[in-house]
Amino acid sequence: MIAEPTLLSRSVQKENSTVDVSSCTSGNHSAGVRNENRQKNVRGKRKVREGSENAKRKHSKSSNGSLGRAENEQLKNRDIEAVTLFEVVTMGRSAMQAVVDDWIEAYIMDREPALLDLISFFIQCSGCKGVVTAEMFQSKEDTDVMSKMVEDLDESSGLQYKKFLAFPWILTVTWPMDIDSGEYPLVMSGLYWKKFRSHFCEFVSVLVAQCQYSVIFDNYLLNTLISLLTELSASCVRAFRHTCTLAAVKLLSALVNVALSLSVSVDNSQRLYEVELAKTSSKRVSPRLERIQRKITELQDRKLETEDMMDAIFKGVFLKRYRDVIPEIRAICMEELTVWMKLYSPVFLNDTYLKYVGWMMHDKQPDVRLKCVLGLQALYQDVHLSSKMDLFTSRFKERMISMTLDKDHEVAVQAMRLLMVISQSCDDVLSQDDYKHIFQFVYCSHRPLAATAGEFLYGRMLSNPAVPQSLVGRSEEDKCRALTLARIRALSHFYTESQLHQHVLYVVDSLWDSGGALLKDWASLTSLLTAQPPSQEQVLSSAEEALVIEILLASVRQAAEGPPLAGRSTGKKVISTKEKRLQTDDCTMLTEHFLKVLPELLSKYLEDAEKLTSFLKIPQYFQMDSCGDEYTKAVQALLAGLDAAVGRHSEARLLEEAARSYHSLCAEDSRWQQVSVPAMDQLIQRWTCTLEKCLGEELSDGAFVADEERKKEILTTLKKLTAFNNAQDLSKWGIYELVSKLLVVDVQLGGLPVEMTTEALRCVCCCILWNLNKFVEGTTSRESALHQRNQLRAFCEKCHRCLSHAEQLVREQAFMCLSDILVAHNYQLQMWDPSAGAPVLYTPEPKLQKSLLSFVLEHVFTSPEPDGHSSRGSDSECGVSRLEDLHRRRNLLAAYCKLIVHSVLEMSMAAEIFKQYVKYYNDFGDIIKETLNRTRQMDKIESARTLVLCLQQLYLRLKQEQDSGNTCSSAVQTYSSIKELARRFSLTFGWDQIKFRESLAMIHRDGIEFVFQGFVQESEKHSPPNISYLTILSEFSGKLLKPDKKTIYSYLQRFAGEQTINNREECWMPLIYYRASLQGTAEGEDAVSFISSDTNKQPSLTNRSKSPSIRQAISEGDPRLPPPCIETKGSKQLKSLEELRVIEQGPALREQPHCDGPSDSQPRTTTDEVDVDTVEIDI
């Protein structure tokens, strides 16, 4: 809260008197001030005090009274309202003009008290809670005065003070130590202080503007004010430095406006003088000439004085603060410097001042760099100013170009706009290499930057391309076609030069905002492909035709779906109603146009499969409910074109796009469903009959004996049926029974071509998936469900046999089909409606599960370089083939991991996958880690058991190899690699120790039992055979909570005994290491340091179980203790000692058979570090 200013000033009676002015704090207005605002009259007019604050204080009856009490008395008496300058600024601009005028009148009457009011205002705006003391300084010959100007801390009183010279006073500001805590008006949050900055700057501008014709040139006001701001801007206190720097640069900006007005007055007077001088001697009036000459001299003197004051502020404030440690101050300086250059270019627009902008473009803070770039934009937009910046442009051109790569997106976007402005104002600055580099940003991932680069590209290359002169006298249609062709060829040239030939969609997206008129002109673009060119030079080449087709397809997609692209952030999540309406209108336009034109395009490019595939994508973006029945003939022509396309070609991509287009035209919301569905049914019927006829002839004897021509016909038909069956359900045509015959023959006798077998597997897989989809929707009876399960079992058996096929493509296709069907069946069980009865279950046989695992181990985790560098090759072709192979293997692994994540396979079968986490980390680390996280979300305990099983199997296999005396093969992981794998597993548990404490405890429990199985404490003198596993287990100790470490240590004692634990023989070192990992609970203390310190002293069991930070010991049977409470996730609040207890053992410990080890009757202890998470865990 802002305290009411206290009246401490005395009457200024002599030069060495002292005036104390209490300043306001940096909080909100007090209740008294707000009450004043509530009591104002309806008109909303603020009554401003007549005269300055200190002038009134002279005539006050009580000089030491409170201003707040005085104001209350005035309100009671309906007297004039007292409002300080600081309060006027915080309240807004409405009363600012009046209060400045009143202050000027008070200054003219008595300038010293009024100036003290202004000084107090700047101190208060800095958020100062202290006192300003002013004493007059008269002797200019006092050489000792500067040594007294200090800023220090008085430790005895806890106050900071700054003493400085603001002629004619020596000012001393005293404030509490916490003023630099960051809370002052310029940076405070809240609605009240939101506009304080603009009001503060407005006050400085209004003050100078109102004083420019009166007191600004009295060699007193501004000299004192500049001295004040210069001294406070150099303070070590951030509030003073920030506020006064802003005031100083705004003061300089106001003086720039004064200088501009003086320059205009000088020019007007000079022209008036020349006119008067040009008169004849008889008409010339000499006194008038003399007056004009004196006025010119006076104005020039004032202008020179103003420039001197501007120079004093620049040297006293700017040169010291433009490199301030606070980025806000640096940004203020750069913003105002560019304003000075634009407004008063004769003085500031030169290399002496421009160099500061160039230097600060390298600033570490993006806000500072942004202010520099925005300021330069304003300068380069003025042609007269940009001509004076040639040296600066040549010196800092590389920096401006490099800023397009700035890590801050806004800076990069504005830097691109700066280069665009430079290109428009200075044609020869940017070279062709510069343009080539800049235009590449149309492919960048940040859409605002890409759109800005697209605007630059369109304005530079596409807006006004070179058009042949031979078009004079031609029709408007020919001119429009020539202009479109010139733009396309310019875009084709850029696209070819960029050598990124698969990113047309990103180019269109970048040009969409600026070149939408060209990209949406589908009539002109399609006319380039369909119309006969009027001249030979307008004939498109094959590459240009391909580019036009890609642009057409990309623009259609952009108009139908909007800007979001894969890998490109838009910075905007919600589409507005206006944009949605515009998108709907564009979809309607493209639908109406392409319904008429597309059949002709399909007919023209019927033989070119690649171009035809692009055209087949366009119907998928149609607005199916926008066109009426008048387009029925056009739709029929389009269907005929689609029929011809799929009848001529059998490429997978073309068939896939054709199937999707048919699906869009046959959709329920389509107006042309009644025309499209019969056409597609006729097509499927024709293919089905063809396939049935061919198979009936070739499989008559139970074997497949077909010639090459018949094989090609069967394969082509099978591809078409598979593509359409993938898009929509074709079960009514009996595709499953028809194609299954091929699989039966291949499984029993073989002889089918590899490609035919893979297509048959895909086709049958699609049929089963559609059946499962019907089952989920509840449209299947019980009998149909049983029939479906039989089909599922039969197909899984066929795929199981195909896993051992001689051809790798068949094996991989069978594996992918198995994975898809089993996952879909699992989803079917999850979506089952209990009201329909018991679900029809199918569980993969154990033999099939093992075959799936063996397939993955054989086909995925095999490579020439299994250390993860297999994808790196010196030869480019070899590198491409390796990347393709890696992509194939990643797909296989992801399919198997989905089986585990969806609970098709047991979680323990993931152990073999987890074993490869470190070995193949570079190739499959992300997939394995995601699988591990998903299994942990399903069941934390079972996932932890899988990790234990993985580590123990690797350890036993390594031990078996070592015990047999054989050299370990490359397939066997070394001990260090197993330990590294355990470390990686422990890192996956993250920082939330409470969430996984049960899982970690289970890992340690199973590890201890694994090591000490069959070990008897008293009879055994040798260490257990698996004791070295404890070193691997110690990798998980760091994730345990401190009380859990003590519990695990107690569990370890039950198996090993104290005598065994304290054994120092070499064979027991893993046990010592593991024990140290459980006991080294101090921060920064690891197992090795604990071992080294433990070898010198042997503390007893009781001493080891207590921490030095124990506050009190709580007996085990204390009835006053409440039961332990379990903390929820993320709860980190400390509980009281009475609510928490440290457990010594879990419930599972009491179920263990009795051992002869030491008893566990130790008292429970509570430590400061353990208070947060002391809950019971099961061991």
Side-chain angles (χ1 to χ4, degrees):
M1 302 298 292
I2 294 183
E4 295 294 342
T6 305
L7 188 61
L8 296 177
S9 60
R10 300 182 181 90
S11 300
V12 183
Q13 297 176 352
K14 55 183 180 179
E15 294 179 349
N16 291 327
S17 62
T18 302
V19 180
D20 297 339
V21 182
S22 173
S23 62
C24 298
T25 61
S26 60
N28 294 328
H29 274 293
S30 64
V33 176
R34 294 186 178 179
N35 289 333
E36 296 168 12
N37 294 333
R38 296 191 187 100
Q39 296 176 6
K40 292 174 184 177
N41 54 26
V42 181
R43 299 177 183 175
K45 301 293 184 178
R46 292 186 180 93
K47 297 181 179 180
V48 186
R49 73 214 187 306
E50 299 176 358
S52 68
E53 301 160 29
N54 286 300
K56 284 185 172 58
R57 289 166 188 163
K58 282 186 182 181
H59 307 289
S60 177
K61 295 181 180 180
S62 177
S63 60
N64 294 327
S66 171
L67 184 58
R69 293 192 299 269
E71 290 178 355
N72 290 334
E73 293 176 359
Q74 290 172 354
L75 287 173
K76 291 179 181 179
N77 300 328
R78 291 300 195 193
D79 201 353
I80 197 166
E81 181 181 346
V83 180
T84 64
L85 293 176
F86 178 75
E87 292 166 354
V88 170
V89 171
T90 55
M91 284 189 297
R93 303 182 180 181
S94 58
M96 193 175 301
Q97 186 80 25
V99 79
V100 169
D101 292 339
D102 290 345
W103 182 88
I104 294 175
E105 293 179 5
Y107 179 82
I108 295 174
M109 293 173 57
D110 193 347
R111 65 182 185 179
E112 291 179 357
L115 192 54
L116 283 177
D117 286 344
L118 189 61
I119 292 174
S120 296
F121 164 74
F122 286 107
I123 300 298
Q124 294 167 15
C125 289
S126 301
C128 182
K129 302 176 183 179
V131 175
V132 181
T133 304
E135 54 182 285
M136 296 299 294
F137 168 69
Q138 187 178 17
S139 177
K140 297 183 179 181
E141 288 77 15
D142 188 359
T143 57
D144 189 46
V145 67
M146 295 309 297
S147 61
K148 302 176 182 178
M149 307 297 109
V150 294
E151 181 173 355
D152 205 349
L153 168 66
D154 187 358
E155 296 182 357
S156 59
S157 61
L159 297 176
Q160 291 177 302
Y161 63 92
K162 180 178 180 63
K163 189 173 184 179
F164 58 96
L165 176 65
F167 190 82
W169 291 296
I170 298 177
L171 300 178
T172 304
V173 184
T174 308
W175 67 91
M177 295 175 58
D178 61 346
I179 189 176
D180 207 22
S181 60
E183 290 294 329
Y184 53 96
L186 283 183
V187 298
M188 289 179 68
S189 59
L191 184 62
Y192 187 78
W193 300 104
K194 186 176 180 179
K195 297 183 179 180
F196 175 81
R197 178 192 176 100
S198 60
H199 295 164
F200 178 71
C201 299
E202 179 70 14
F203 173 81
V204 176
S205 302
V206 170
L207 178 65
V208 176
Q210 296 299 106
C211 295
Q212 63 177 324
Y213 301 110
S214 55
V215 297
I216 193 175
F217 300 106
D218 63 351
N219 293 325
Y220 186 82
L221 172 62
L222 282 187
N223 290 344
T224 304
L225 194 56
I226 292 174
S227 299
L228 171 73
L229 297 179
T230 302
E231 290 294 333
L232 290 181
S233 64
S235 172
C236 63
V237 179
R238 172 176 176 168
F240 286 148
R241 207 164 65 250
H242 189 183
T243 306
C244 294
T245 300
L246 177 62
V249 295
K250 289 298 180 180
L251 178 62
L252 200 155
S253 299
L255 290 176
V256 165
N257 293 324
V258 174
L260 287 174
S261 63
L262 289 174
S263 299
V264 172
S265 300
V266 169
D267 294 339
N268 293 337
S269 300
Q270 189 67 38
R271 286 195 296 269
L272 183 62
Y273 181 81
E274 293 174 357
V275 169
E276 189 70 23
L277 190 63
K279 294 180 180 180
T280 59
S281 57
S282 59
K283 296 181 179 181
R284 186 184 305 163
V285 181
S286 299
R288 186 175 182 183
L289 281 176
E290 294 176 358
R291 287 198 307 272
I292 296 175
Q293 184 62 44
R294 286 197 302 269
K295 183 178 180 181
I296 293 175
T297 304
E298 181 183 358
L299 290 174
Q300 289 177 343
D301 292 340
R302 287 192 171 187
K303 179 181 176 183
L304 182 61
E305 184 179 353
T306 303
E307 292 180 354
D308 290 341
M309 290 186 290
M310 291 160 49
D311 186 65
I313 297 176
F314 183 86
K315 292 180 179 179
V317 179
F318 180 88
L319 290 182
K320 297 177 181 179
R321 299 277 68 81
Y322 83 96
R323 292 184 300 177
D324 196 278
V325 69
I326 307 301
E328 290 85 352
I329 297 179
R330 302 199 300 270
I332 289 172
C333 294
M334 290 301 106
E335 181 180 12
E336 293 302 317
L337 177 60
T338 53
V339 171
W340 305 335
M341 293 176 180
K342 183 175 178 61
L343 294 179
Y344 205 44
S345 57
V347 174
F348 289 101
L349 190 60
N350 55 59
D351 298 328
T352 303
Y353 297 95
L354 281 169
K355 65 182 179 183
Y356 300 112
V357 182
W359 292 345
M360 298 310 290
M361 285 194 295
H362 297 269
D363 196 272
K364 294 181 179 180
Q365 293 297 323
D367 290 341
V368 182
R369 301 194 299 270
L370 182 62
K371 294 299 183 183
C372 295
V373 173
L374 293 176
L376 289 175
Q377 286 182 17
L379 295 176
Y380 278 106
Q381 285 173 353
D382 192 332
V383 180
H384 301 288
L385 299 182
S386 60
S387 60
K388 303 178 182 179
M389 302 172 62
D390 295 337
L391 182 60
F392 173 84
T393 305
S394 61
R395 170 66 180 82
F396 293 100
K397 185 187 76 170
E398 296 300 326
R399 174 55 186 164
M400 289 186 284
I401 294 176
S402 67
M403 289 181 75
T404 56
L405 295 170
D406 198 283
K407 62 181 181 181
D408 185 82
H409 292 316
E410 184 61 25
V411 175
V413 170
Q414 296 303 328
M416 184 66 68
R417 293 201 173 277
L418 173 61
L419 294 174
M420 193 189 313
V421 173
I422 293 175
S423 174
Q424 295 171 355
S425 59
C426 310
D427 293 334
D428 56 344
V429 171
L430 299 177
S431 64
Q432 292 300 321
D433 292 337
D434 295 334
Y435 285 119
K436 185 177 180 180
H437 168 74
I438 293 169
F439 292 157
Q440 294 295 317
F441 284 92
V442 296
Y443 300 105
C444 74
S445 59
H446 186 61
R447 190 178 187 277
L449 179 58
T452 308
E455 182 182 353
F456 196 177
L457 172 64
Y458 185 83
R460 183 71 183 179
M461 298 181 61
L462 306 179
S463 59
N464 295 309
V467 180
Q469 298 294 330
S470 59
L471 295 175
V472 179
R474 295 286 183 91
S475 62
E476 291 297 328
E477 183 179 354
D478 291 340
K479 292 181 180 179
C480 181
R481 187 181 191 279
L483 180 61
T484 303
L485 180 60
R487 289 175 173 176
I488 291 298
R489 284 179 171 170
L491 185 59
S492 175
H493 175 72
F494 161 73
Y495 185 63
T496 305
E497 290 292 328
S498 63
Q499 299 180 353
L500 296 172
H501 302 289
Q502 297 179 356
H503 296 79
V504 175
L505 193 60
Y506 291 88
V507 177
V508 170
D509 183 42
S510 301
L511 292 172
W512 191 253
D513 297 337
S514 56
L518 169 65
L519 298 175
K520 293 181 184 179
D521 190 5
W522 295 299
S524 298
L525 292 176
T526 51
S527 67
L528 296 177
L529 301 174
T530 57
Q532 186 68 24
S535 60
Q536 187 64 29
E537 61 183 16
Q538 293 190 16
V539 177
L540 293 176
S541 64
S542 178
E544 291 173 345
E545 278 189 350
L547 179 62
V548 172
I549 294 172
E550 289 189 49
I551 291 175
L552 270 174
L553 178 60
S555 62
V556 167
R557 192 220 71 87
Q558 190 81 4
E561 295 184 354
L565 293 176
R568 174 167 283 184
S569 59
T570 61
K572 185 178 182 180
K573 297 181 180 180
V574 181
I575 183 172
S576 63
T577 305
K578 181 180 179 181
E579 293 172 340
K580 186 66 176 179
R581 185 171 58 252
L582 180 61
Q583 183 178 344
T584 303
D585 295 341
D586 291 341
C587 288
T588 303
M589 291 174 55
L590 72 90
T591 303
E592 294 175 352
H593 173 74
F594 281 101
L595 274 177
K596 300 176 182 178
V597 178
L598 196 55
E600 182 181 357
L601 294 172
L602 292 177
S603 176
K604 180 178 180 180
Y605 296 97
L606 186 60
E607 302 299 330
D608 194 333
E610 184 176 356
K611 295 177 182 177
L612 197 61
T613 302
S614 299
F615 287 125
L616 290 177
K617 295 180 180 179
I618 294 179
Q620 302 170 25
Y621 303 107
F622 282 175
Q623 190 82 12
M624 297 301 176
D625 57 349
S626 61
C627 300
D629 297 335
E630 65 271 13
Y631 290 90
T632 302
K633 292 184 179 180
V635 173
Q636 292 176 348
L638 176 60
L639 291 171
L642 292 175
D643 194 338
V646 297
R648 182 65 61 89
H649 300 279
S650 61
E651 285 80 0
R653 288 184 57 232
L654 186 145
L655 293 174
E656 181 182 354
E657 298 302 336
R660 291 180 178 177
S661 296
Y662 267 109
H663 180 69
S664 299
L665 293 172
C666 297
E668 295 181 357
D669 59 343
S670 174
R671 289 192 176 184
W672 313 301
Q673 184 184 18
Q674 296 179 354
V675 181
S676 304
V677 171
M680 194 189 72
D681 289 346
Q682 184 180 0
L683 189 65
I684 300 299
Q685 180 67 37
R686 184 169 69 246
W687 291 340
T688 305
C689 294
T690 302
L691 182 61
E692 185 177 2
K693 179 181 177 181
C694 293
L695 293 181
E697 295 175 357
E698 305 302 332
L699 298 177
S700 58
D701 299 332
F704 184 78
V705 285
D707 55 7
E708 292 298 327
E709 183 178 354
R710 187 53 64 90
K711 287 180 181 179
K712 183 178 180 181
E713 183 179 2
I714 294 175
L715 180 60
T716 301
T717 307
L718 194 58
K719 283 183 177 179
K720 294 176 182 179
L721 285 173
T722 302
F724 276 72
N725 198 16
N726 188 35
Q728 49 194 323
D729 188 10
L730 303 180
S731 301
K732 63 181 181 180
W733 304 105
I735 304 295
Y736 176 84
E737 292 77 9
L738 189 60
V739 181
S740 294
K741 299 177 182 179
L742 285 173
L743 293 180
V744 172
V745 172
D746 185 69
V747 170
Q748 294 178 356
L749 301 176
L752 257 68
V754 176
E755 193 173 1
M756 189 179 298
T757 305
T758 56
E759 289 297 329
L761 286 170
R762 291 180 60 231
C763 187
V764 176
C765 178
C766 291
C767 293
I768 296 179
L769 289 175
W770 280 112
N771 290 335
L772 291 173
N773 183 62
K774 288 182 180 178
F775 191 77
V776 172
E777 294 175 354
T779 59
T780 306
S781 63
R782 183 72 178 176
E783 293 75 13
S784 301
L786 293 173
H787 178 66
Q788 181 194 75
R789 184 180 64 177
N790 295 332
Q791 286 184 349
L792 180 61
R793 180 183 292 108
F795 181 70
C796 289
E797 291 177 357
K798 294 183 181 69
C799 290
H800 187 193
R801 293 187 180 184
C802 289
L803 289 178
S804 57
H805 198 277
E807 296 294 335
Q808 182 178 354
L809 290 177
V810 177
R811 296 197 299 269
E812 292 181 358
Q813 186 61 52
F815 178 82
M816 296 300 294
C817 290
L818 270 174
S819 302
D820 293 339
I821 286 180
L822 292 176
V823 170
H825 176 65
N826 179 266
Y827 177 76
Q828 172 197 41
L829 298 180
Q830 295 177 0
M831 301 300 294
W832 176 262
D833 186 6
S835 62
V840 180
L841 300 177
Y842 170 74
T843 303
E845 299 177 354
K847 187 177 180 181
L848 176 58
Q849 297 185 23
K850 292 181 181 178
S851 298
L852 291 172
L853 178 59
S854 302
F855 177 86
V856 171
L857 296 178
E858 180 182 353
H859 290 78
V860 175
F861 299 108
T862 54
S863 62
E865 299 178 8
D867 58 350
H869 301 283
S870 58
S871 61
R872 298 179 183 178
S874 56
D875 186 66
S876 59
E877 295 181 359
C878 182
V880 171
S881 63
R882 287 183 178 180
L883 286 175
E884 292 177 353
D885 179 70
L886 176 62
H887 180 68
R888 176 186 59 82
R889 292 189 291 136
R890 284 175 62 87
N891 286 338
L892 295 174
L893 179 61
Y896 181 80
C897 291
K898 282 193 293 184
L899 295 176
I900 297 173
V901 169
H902 290 279
S903 302
V904 177
L905 302 178
E906 295 180 358
M907 197 179 295
S908 59
M909 298 194 69
E912 292 294 335
I913 305 299
F914 294 160
K915 291 177 184 178
Q916 315 297 332
Y917 183 50
V918 175
K919 190 176 182 180
Y920 291 92
Y921 182 79
N922 291 341
D923 292 340
F924 313 115
D926 56 339
I927 299 177
I928 298 176
K929 185 176 181 180
E930 181 63 22
T931 305
L932 179 58
N933 293 334
R934 293 290 186 89
T935 55
R936 192 169 288 160
Q937 294 173 9
M938 296 163 54
D939 190 339
K940 292 184 287 187
I941 300 299
E942 189 63 27
S943 177
R945 286 198 180 97
T946 305
L947 298 183
V948 171
L949 177 63
C950 170
L951 295 174
Q952 291 180 1
Q953 286 180 352
L954 289 174
Y955 176 81
L956 290 176
R957 186 175 180 184
L958 174 63
K959 193 172 185 301
Q960 184 181 0
E961 291 286 334
Q962 292 176 346
D963 293 343
S964 62
N966 299 331
T967 305
C968 293
S969 62
S970 59
V972 180
Q973 298 191 30
T974 62
Y975 184 82
S976 59
S977 63
I978 300 174
K979 194 171 183 295
E980 174 63 18
L981 180 62
R983 188 185 72 84
R984 296 285 187 92
F985 285 162
S986 68
L987 292 176
T988 60
F989 286 98
W991 296 99
D992 194 349
Q993 295 175 306
I994 300 177
K995 182 178 180 180
F996 301 109
R997 65 185 309 184
E998 295 181 0
S999 302
L1000 291 166
M1002 191 277 302
I1003 291 175
H1004 284 272
R1005 183 197 66 188
D1006 287 4
I1008 293 172
E1009 293 175 355
F1010 171 73
V1011 171
F1012 291 99
Q1013 57 184 352
F1015 177 75
V1016 181
Q1017 299 178 15
E1018 294 183 354
S1019 61
E1020 294 287 346
K1021 295 183 178 179
H1022 301 286
S1023 61
N1026 299 330
I1027 192 172
S1028 56
Y1029 181 79
L1030 290 176
T1031 306
I1032 298 175
L1033 190 61
S1034 64
E1035 295 293 337
F1036 296 92
S1037 299
K1039 295 296 180 179
L1040 287 171
L1041 293 171
K1042 294 177 182 179
D1044 296 346
K1045 288 185 177 181
K1046 296 183 179 181
T1047 305
I1048 297 298
Y1049 182 71
S1050 300
Y1051 192 65
L1052 176 65
Q1053 286 178 319
R1054 284 189 171 274
F1055 282 88
E1058 184 177 3
Q1059 184 177 0
T1060 303
I1061 289 179
N1062 294 327
N1063 198 323
R1064 295 296 166 182
E1065 296 181 6
E1066 185 68 24
C1067 61
W1068 293 98
M1069 286 304 296
L1071 177 60
I1072 299 174
Y1073 189 90
Y1074 180 61
R1075 184 198 65 155
S1077 68
L1078 296 176
Q1079 289 186 326
T1081 59
E1083 184 177 358
E1085 186 176 4
D1086 56 3
V1088 177
S1089 62
F1090 197 89
I1091 291 173
S1092 60
S1093 62
D1094 197 31
T1095 54
N1096 298 327
K1097 55 182 180 179
Q1098 300 289 334
S1100 64
L1101 182 62
T1102 305
N1103 292 334
R1104 284 198 304 272
S1105 65
K1106 294 183 178 180
S1107 171
S1109 60
I1110 294 179
R1111 292 184 179 180
Q1112 64 183 36
I1114 306 175
S1115 62
E1116 184 176 357
D1118 193 345
R1120 295 172 296 175
L1121 288 176
C1125 58
I1126 299 178
E1127 298 289 341
T1128 59
K1129 179 180 178 180
S1131 176
K1132 301 296 182 184
Q1133 299 296 328
L1134 292 175
K1135 307 293 185 181
S1136 61
L1137 292 177
E1138 290 77 6
E1139 295 177 348
L1140 300 173
R1141 63 189 179 94
V1142 178
I1143 59 169
E1144 180 184 5
Q1145 62 184 20
L1149 280 179
R1150 293 185 281 273
E1151 300 176 2
Q1152 296 292 335
H1154 176 70
C1155 298
D1156 295 334
S1159 62
D1160 293 329
S1161 59
Q1162 303 171 8
R1164 297 184 180 181
T1165 58
T1166 304
T1167 64
D1168 293 338
E1169 297 83 3
V1170 177
D1171 282 346
V1172 178
D1173 303 311
T1174 54
V1175 302
E1176 290 190 2
I1177 58 173
D1178 293 335
I1179 296 297

